[in-house]
Amino acid sequence: MLKEKLLTRKRLIDILFVAAWTVLTAALVLFVLFMLGKNTARKVDKVTLTAALPQESLATLSQGDQAKLYELYGLEESAFDYCILYTAPDIMDVSELLILRGENRESLSAALSALEAHHAEQIRVFEGYGPAQTAQLKAGILYTRGDYLFYAVGPQADALKSAFERTVS
Amino acid sequence: MVFSSLYFLFLFLPVVLGLYYAAPRVLKNPLLLIASIVFYAWGEPIYVILMILSILINYVLGLDIARHEGVGRKVRLIVAVALNLLVLGFFKYYGFVTETVGALFGLETGAVALPLPIGISFYTFQALSYIIDVYRDKVTAQRDLISFALYITMFPQLIAGPIVQYKDIEAQMHHRPFDLLQVTSGAERFILGLAKKVLLANTLGQLATAMQGDAKVGMLGAWLGLFAYTMQIYFDFSGYSDMAIGMGAMFGFTFLENFNYPYIADSITDFWRRWHMSLSGWFRDYVYIPMGGNRVRTWRHILNLLTVWALTGLWHGASWNFVLWGLYYGVLLLVEKYLLKDFLPRLPRALRHIYTLAVVMVSWVFFAFTDPSAGLRYFGALVGVSGLGAEAVYSLLNYGVLLLIGGICCTPLVYKYYRRLSEKIPYISSLLAILALLLSVAFLVHDTFNPFLYFRF
């Protein structure tokens, strides 16, 4: 009787353990699926993506090159498939647009960290004397989606983001 | 969050240390766990969920493995190992595999790329070592979820190692006596690591990046850049390890060493006994020896070694250049074992050092360039395809002193004299540490962002 009771108890614990790791594995699979759904992005070439962005927003900015990418963020263009960079010509204007398509995820991850630091530094620089710029910086957009990193600051940031989203979705 | 950031140095670490020392013993582990999760979430909020799920799965499976014998035990081990590898494989290698398959068969795979969860390679390997050791009865399955979660998430070594095996800190999870000497030497070690990263790695990195990014770099510039990169990667990674070990000591943990002056090695075999020891130790214990190690026929040993080194390369990144880098070392180790076994020890010591350093430096070209065409171009520059590039003399003059200091700091000389001086003059080590801290902070205030190179693994 006692032996039977013990066996039943052991079986119950066995079932609980299997149920626990099965539920956790299912949660893991759901998380992965969620991340996939959230992060997928179509591969679009540089010319198509640039053309899809609102040209009136870009017209107010100056196009940046490899040297500017390194100067601003310490990033090497060769680590990415391509880079679309626009900055404001006036030093008191904090508008920026950067879209990187990452050659690999490590580069993208490093770029995201570099952009976070750059963004924090910009806020620190303008916080004391540029309330308008600080507000724009605080409303800045920085995120990764699939192979892309998107960073935009300025009054046109939302429009640029919408165009980017439409193009890569 | 990066160790070498002002937020970490002047806000996060002091607050956590203060709370930790003030907390009663029973609250120390929960506090450290919360701090570790906040630390991770700072840069990767969404991936905290992944890490927590990984912790829970490994915790439950660890206990379940310990409850079973025979086939049931083995099945649970296989489930645990497969789950860990699938998660790592998916987040780290999915894009790489689909791209490779697409390239091989000319298919449009519509590769989906996810940002790599920071530290996933490190914490997955820690979880695997725990699971396998529970299966082998080398450690007892941890019943306390907080202690287990702390083992996986401990922020000093969560992001870039060293890979701590559970058996090495099992006892420390519950019993860590407060030792003021350990705390102060931990702080000194942390500052030493910070100085290596900020003063040496970041500064040398500027030269390395300039040369690697210059498509027209000449032979002189290419070698100069490679020499700078060789030191940058050492100071960067060993600096991080020093900071991790130092911080561990401040919290009462003793982590095993990860570097032992690798650039003074006199063979590649010796080099790998000194470089990233926690990773080579992991592969030895959990892959190489279970495959039979060297106690098998020659052809099988060759296969074992090449497999382990291809995997070591792949661990560093989902890119063919890392696989090549790993295989390069696999082949070199085989050559040393089977062809140079009698010849190499008879060479003059200086020649053995030069051979090792040259071979290691060349390996960093594979490592540094994920783009094969850029790597080949750099190899070409090293052998003079783009000419001598005498303009690099300017860089040599600018960075010459730093390169010399870096070269000396790669040897045990500095530490030897530092120790000797500390014994003669009391408090000198603390004074030097304060000086190094001030200097590093001064550099950090004006520096651009410089994440640790090993963060991407």
Side-chain angles (χ1 to χ4, degrees), chain A residues 49-50 53 69 82-86 97-101 148-151 160 164 168:
Chain A
L49 185 52
T50 310
L53 297 170
L69 181 73
Y82 62 74
C83 141
I84 299 171
L85 174 62
Y86 285 85
L97 166 71
L98 174 68
I99 301 174
L100 292 170
R101 199 173 86 185
Y148 299 89
L149 177 147
F150 181 90
Y151 176 63
L160 287 164
F164 167 73
V168 301

Side-chain angles (χ1 to χ4, degrees), chain A residues 113-143:
Chain A
S113 307
L115 263 294
E116 279 168 357
H118 167 77
H119 189 67
E121 175 63 11
Q122 283 285 83
I123 292 175
R124 193 187 66 80
V125 168
F126 282 94
E127 211 151 32
Y129 64 95
Q133 289 91 334
T134 309
Q136 283 182 4
L137 281 162
K138 286 187 174 168
I141 302 164
L142 171 63
Y143 68 104

Side-chain angles (χ1 to χ4, degrees), chain A residues 70, chain B residues 200-210 228-229 232:
Chain A
Y70 186 76
Chain B
L200 294 172
N202 288 0
T203 326
L204 287 162
Q206 289 167 7
L207 176 62
T209 307
Y229 185 73
Q232 181 199 2

Side-chain angles (χ1 to χ4, degrees), chain B residues 38-50:
Chain B
V38 170
F39 173 84
Y40 192 77
W42 198 280
E44 295 265 4
I46 189 78
Y47 283 129
V48 167
I49 299 170
L50 179 68

Side-chain angles (χ1 to χ4, degrees), chain A residues 9-11 13-14 16-18 20-21 23-29 31-36 38-41 43 66 70-74 76 78-79 102-110 112-118 120-121 124 144-147, chain B residues 7 42-44 46-47 49-50 53-54 56-57 59-61 63-64 67-68 75-76 79 83 87 90-96 99 108 111-116 118 205-206 209-210 212-213 316-319 322 370-371 445 448-449 451 455-457:
Chain A
R9 190 166 173 266
K10 191 182 175 296
R11 256 182 232 136
I13 295 172
D14 274 350
L16 280 175
F17 263 107
V18 173
W21 54 260
V23 167
L24 287 166
T25 307
L28 188 69
V29 171
F31 176 78
V32 168
L33 290 175
F34 166 75
M35 290 303 292
L36 268 177
K38 188 174 168 278
N39 264 291
T40 40
K43 282 195 171 179
Q66 186 182 354
Y70 186 76
E71 180 196 325
L72 285 176
Y73 320 109
E76 290 288 341
S78 59
E103 197 176 61
N104 57 43
R105 280 143 301 286
E106 292 86 357
S107 306
L108 214 60
S109 186
L112 182 64
S113 307
L115 263 294
E116 279 168 357
H118 167 77
E121 175 63 11
R124 193 187 66 80
T144 57
R145 177 170 175 175
D147 275 353
Chain B
Y7 281 121
W42 198 280
E44 295 265 4
I46 189 78
Y47 283 129
I49 299 170
L50 179 68
L53 283 171
S54 170
L56 291 173
I57 289 173
Y59 171 74
V60 172
L61 277 164
L63 288 173
D64 208 15
R67 292 180 62 252
H68 286 82
V75 166
R76 280 157 181 84
V79 168
L83 275 174
V87 170
F90 181 78
F91 282 97
K92 194 163 178 174
Y93 303 108
Y94 180 76
F96 170 66
E99 276 171 29
E108 182 58 60
V112 174
L114 291 163
L116 182 77
I118 289 177
Q206 289 167 7
T209 307
Q212 286 170 5
H316 283 83
S319 179
F322 291 116
T370 46
D371 175 8
V445 169
T448 52
F449 183 67
F455 265 34
R456 56 198 195 122
F457 307 129

Side-chain angles (χ1 to χ4, degrees), chain B residues 3 25 97 149 261 325 443 450:
Chain B
F3 291 168
R25 208 164 113 184
V97 171
Y261 303 104
W325 176 78
F443 267 64
N450 281 293

